[in-house]
Amino acid sequence: MKIRAGLVGYGLGGRVFHAPLISAVDGLELAAVATSRAAEVCSAYPQVQVTDAQQLIADHSIDLVVISTPNETHFPLAQAALLAGKHVVVDKPLTTTSAEAATLATLATERGLMLCPFLNRRWDGDFLTVKRLIDEGTLGDVALYEARWDRFRPEVKLTWREDDRPGSGLLADLGPHLIDQALVLFGVPDEISADIATQRPGARADDYFELTLAYDNRRVILSASLLAAAARPRFAVRGTLGAFVKRDLDPQEQWLKDGGAPGLHQESALSFGTLSCDSREEAVATQKGDYREFYMGVEGCIAKGGPPPVSIDDAIMGLKLIELARTCDELGRRFPTT
């Protein structure tokens, strides 16, 4: 029997990522969606029940609850789902504080349930390419790793993401992905420093950040801006044997936004990164990423007792680093991470 999933929220995250990815994985069934956008759901998934969050969580036929709602609602919804005996996937950030995330982790463990953060950027093709080059030693010992995620959105939007409320702002939005990728590659840093700013006129939440993670002599710089008309390279990794620079974003998100089926995207050779090694340069074909891998891992965890695709401990550490970054920015100091 398939694992029956209920999706809470049908905004960008629910519509573009969760609904199509769940539907594309054997062993999972999108059974219900809690949203006010009933017409959109019925048009795309006519067999799916449209309901509200309370009824979905109480539905005994639902095995897995997927939460894709404003960040400050993640904790109460996830807590309610776990108390109802459901496995849970939550959009990033898992919660607005590391303390809330730890509370959910304890609850999930006590009840023998899966709690998994949706940190799907582990399956970005550009990141997988960077990880392979580092793991294979192509770049030697990495001295400087820069990961930047720039956008040009000079007009402030009247949305919860850009409002002055818990879990809003660019650091809470893109920071979890950038930090998670750094944790996968290098583990927990020794120290962190941060510069966080609100740059656009009328903005109510941070729209720029740059974090520096120190690992002995290695430096990891994670940055994002909403005022970058000419985006900086997505990745720039420099080591003792060479460097790799990749400018463009993984195409999966745009492919899904355009209605493409998961896993069928292709990246143009014009977007491949450049490896500089031994006084020569060569294009490196981007490894194909696939966000379906996340939900394949979810299915394997629930049905077969395997590990979750993303550790809850990684999500908690990511939130702790965001909290430390905000403290660093406020006090103008560098802080140890342990």
Side-chain angles (χ1 to χ4, degrees):
M1 295 180 62
K2 290 190 174 185
I3 295 165
R4 288 171 55 84
L7 171 60
V8 182
Y10 200 69
L12 175 66
R15 175 178 56 84
V16 172
F17 292 103
H18 297 289
L21 294 174
I22 292 169
S23 300
V25 174
D26 291 337
L28 296 180
E29 175 190 355
L30 182 62
V33 177
T35 181
S36 60
R37 301 175 177 179
E40 293 181 39
V41 175
C42 292
S43 175
Y45 305 96
Q47 78 285 2
V48 171
Q49 177 189 5
V50 179
T51 181
D52 61 39
Q54 184 176 1
Q55 290 178 329
L56 186 151
I57 290 172
D59 187 339
H60 294 295
S61 73
I62 297 296
D63 308 299
L64 167 68
V65 172
V66 177
I67 297 168
S68 183
T69 55
N71 295 343
E72 61 188 315
T73 68
H74 289 182
F75 176 76
L77 287 170
Q79 184 181 52
L82 291 169
L83 289 172
K86 315 297 186 184
H87 301 285
V88 178
V89 166
V90 188
D91 253 341
K92 55 75 195 170
L94 179 66
T95 56
T96 59
T97 69
S98 61
E100 288 181 342
T103 297
L104 292 181
T106 299
L107 180 59
T109 299
E110 290 173 348
R111 294 183 172 250
L113 297 167
M114 183 202 72
L115 171 65
C116 190
F118 184 63
L119 289 165
N120 60 304
R121 298 290 173 172
R122 292 188 181 195
W123 291 272
D124 272 353
D126 47 16
F127 173 69
L128 291 173
T129 304
V130 167
K131 185 175 186 301
R132 176 175 60 79
L133 291 172
I134 292 175
D135 290 346
E136 292 176 351
T138 303
L139 306 177
D141 293 329
V142 174
L144 178 61
Y145 168 96
E146 298 173 88
R148 306 183 187 276
W149 199 333
D150 289 338
R151 296 166 171 169
F152 187 57
R153 298 178 180 175
E155 299 297 326
V156 177
K157 296 182 179 180
L158 300 177
T159 66
W160 64 265
R161 293 182 189 277
E162 298 191 21
D163 199 2
D164 182 16
R165 54 201 285 188
S168 297
L170 194 61
L171 180 57
D173 186 29
L174 299 184
H177 285 311
L178 294 173
I179 290 171
D180 183 65
Q181 290 177 335
L183 291 174
V184 169
L185 293 174
F186 306 114
V188 179
D190 301 316
E191 294 181 328
I192 184 172
S193 57
D195 179 20
I196 306 167
T198 302
Q199 296 184 318
R200 295 172 301 166
R204 296 170 55 84
D206 58 85
D207 52 20
Y208 166 85
F209 68 85
E210 180 155 308
L211 314 182
T212 300
L213 311 183
Y215 297 80
D216 194 13
N217 292 329
R218 176 183 297 139
R219 293 296 180 267
V220 169
I221 297 175
L222 311 175
S223 183
S225 171
L226 292 182
L227 279 178
R232 298 166 292 181
R234 177 68 179 87
F235 289 104
V237 189
R238 296 172 171 86
T240 55
L241 296 180
F244 177 73
V245 177
K246 175 77 165 63
R247 298 204 65 86
D248 298 328
L249 284 167
D250 179 280
Q252 286 184 84
E253 178 175 350
Q254 190 58 52
W255 175 263
L256 293 171
K257 283 181 177 179
D258 293 340
L264 298 183
H265 63 283
Q266 296 289 338
E267 182 173 89
S268 167
L270 296 176
S271 295
F272 290 170
T274 301
L275 175 66
S276 301
C277 224
D278 296 326
S279 301
R280 58 186 174 84
E281 292 187 348
E282 62 178 280
V284 176
T286 303
Q287 184 171 332
K288 189 169 183 179
D290 192 342
Y291 296 154
R292 291 177 299 177
E293 293 284 345
F294 173 86
Y295 273 109
M296 291 176 188
V298 168
E299 191 274 337
C301 177
I302 296 173
K304 305 176 183 68
V310 179
S311 165
I312 191 65
D313 291 337
D314 288 346
I316 293 173
M317 177 52 65
L319 287 167
K320 287 181 178 178
L321 290 175
I322 287 175
E323 290 165 350
L324 279 172
R326 295 196 186 280
T327 301
C328 291
D329 177 68
E330 291 170 3
L331 300 180
R333 292 176 53 193
R334 176 183 295 181
F335 277 84
T337 58
T338 57

